[in-house]
Amino acid sequence: MPQLGTGIIPAGGAGTLGQELQYVVRRAFVKKLVVQIYNTSPLTAALIANSQPATGGVSSVTIPAQGAQFVNLQWVGYDGSFSQPAVQPAVTNLEFNLKGAVIPIPYLGFEGIVQEAHEIIPLLAARMNDAGNVYCDGVATALLNNISNTQQVIGLPAAVDDGTNATNYGNQSRTTNPWLKAKRYAAGSVNPTRALVAQFITGTFKNGGELPTFGIMGPATWQTLQNDFLPNESYVVTPEKGFDDEPWGARSAFRALMVSGVPIYMDPYVPEGTLYLLNTGYMAFYIHERAAFAFTGFESTLSNFQIGFIGAVLSLLELVLAKPKVCTVVTGFTFVSI
């Protein structure tokens, strides 16, 4: 619907100059499609970057995990004697099945003919581009929300858990195998601060023996943590120079908040009030090597009495956290209104 009667364009209506202009003048389209409805996700980006190949089979990803000692230490005296050792079973398999996600892509038969040599935005190209965005959005949503739907990727609420949400993980019981428990804290309706986050990072190390790689928070929670940093900002003024000599002016605030050497990022898919401290040394997407965002190609829909084509983007993947005890979830933070 053209906008008439504003700026240099006259008003419309029957017999008006505005109506005449509609008949004889093309619109000045910007030849790009501006996507309005998706978000970026640091977690999804990290998992895709750290992805591992998988193949077929039942329990497509099976990880042998040592949950007990194979051998025991004995102290010996001068004579060097020791007790006969026993063979101790110590390995348990963590088992994961890949989850299938498909995005059907339609292509009407006459769509290409109508658009040929006259398209502003090729609809087929827009759908193909949208498939990637829809996929990332759907996966990111499942990663931060899905606990029990076994047709979807099992997300962090089940993987980074102490049994509160998921008593089993990797087809093993967290009660029988307590080494499958991540650390869970309740912050207690307080603002996240550097001191508190550092305390939870220390707790992660105490529980799992390793520091997390990075942390993620919802934007409002992350901003509340940043507010604990901002009053301590300072500008270094070099003699005979200004503090804003950087090409983009004075630097203020942060893109990532470093606490105890661990960067904390904002992720729009993380529920507000929650902090995840994650270790990518043991966490990755396992993606089937034959179905890694693969396109099936287009097939005719004539068999359905329609002139057209349909294709699909297919992937088989699962989030696998091989060592939950090196990760932590903190809930109950308060956060600013943004």
Side-chain angles (χ1 to χ4, degrees), residues 194-211:
R194 288 167 294 168
L196 273 178
V197 172
Q199 178 179 323
F200 296 133
I201 290 172
T202 302
T204 305
F205 181 84
K206 182 179 180 180
N207 187 58
E210 298 183 42
L211 284 172

Side-chain angles (χ1 to χ4, degrees), residues 282-328:
Y282 303 95
M283 183 178 67
F285 274 148
Y286 276 77
I287 305 176
H288 196 289
E289 57 190 12
R290 297 285 184 107
F293 316 106
F295 181 57
T296 62
F298 282 108
E299 297 292 338
S300 173
T301 57
L302 280 177
S303 58
N304 291 329
F305 311 105
Q306 181 185 30
I307 297 175
F309 303 89
I310 187 169
V313 176
L314 173 66
S315 65
L316 300 175
L317 82 167
E318 177 61 300
L319 167 70
V320 174
L321 178 55
K323 194 174 181 180
K325 67 183 297 184
V326 298
C327 298
T328 291

Side-chain angles (χ1 to χ4, degrees), residues 136-318:
C136 288
D137 182 72
V139 169
T141 300
L143 280 174
L144 273 306
N145 293 278
N146 184 39
I147 297 173
S148 57
N149 186 341
T150 57
Q151 296 301 110
Q152 297 180 9
V153 168
I154 296 297
L156 295 186
V160 184
D161 187 47
D162 62 355
T164 301
N165 293 328
T167 55
N168 293 339
Y169 186 69
N171 204 29
Q172 296 295 332
S173 167
R174 282 187 159 117
T175 303
T176 306
N177 305 290
W179 44 267
L180 274 175
K181 293 182 178 182
K183 194 66 177 177
R184 174 179 284 273
Y185 293 100
S189 297
V190 295
N191 285 348
T193 63
R194 288 167 294 168
L196 273 178
V197 172
Q199 178 179 323
F200 296 133
I201 290 172
T202 302
T204 305
F205 181 84
K206 182 179 180 180
N207 187 58
E210 298 183 42
L211 284 172
T213 309
F214 69 100
I216 50 174
M217 287 176 153
T221 314
W222 186 90
Q223 179 60 49
T224 308
L225 175 60
Q226 180 171 232
N227 290 342
D228 192 47
F229 284 77
L230 293 179
N232 298 296
E233 281 193 338
S234 61
Y235 299 101
V236 178
V237 181
T238 304
E240 300 182 357
K241 292 185 179 181
F243 66 86
D244 59 346
D245 285 345
E246 293 290 333
W248 296 281
R251 296 174 59 183
S252 179
F254 309 91
R255 297 188 68 178
L257 304 173
M258 297 293 293
V259 182
S260 299
V262 178
I264 311 296
Y265 299 98
M266 67 174 100
D267 190 312
Y269 294 92
V270 179
E272 296 293 359
T274 299
L275 164 66
Y276 282 102
L277 296 169
L278 306 172
N279 192 316
T280 53
Y282 303 95
M283 183 178 67
F285 274 148
Y286 276 77
I287 305 176
H288 196 289
E289 57 190 12
R290 297 285 184 107
F293 316 106
F295 181 57
T296 62
F298 282 108
E299 297 292 338
S300 173
T301 57
L302 280 177
S303 58
N304 291 329
F305 311 105
Q306 181 185 30
I307 297 175
F309 303 89
I310 187 169
V313 176
L314 173 66
S315 65
L316 300 175
L317 82 167
E318 177 61 300

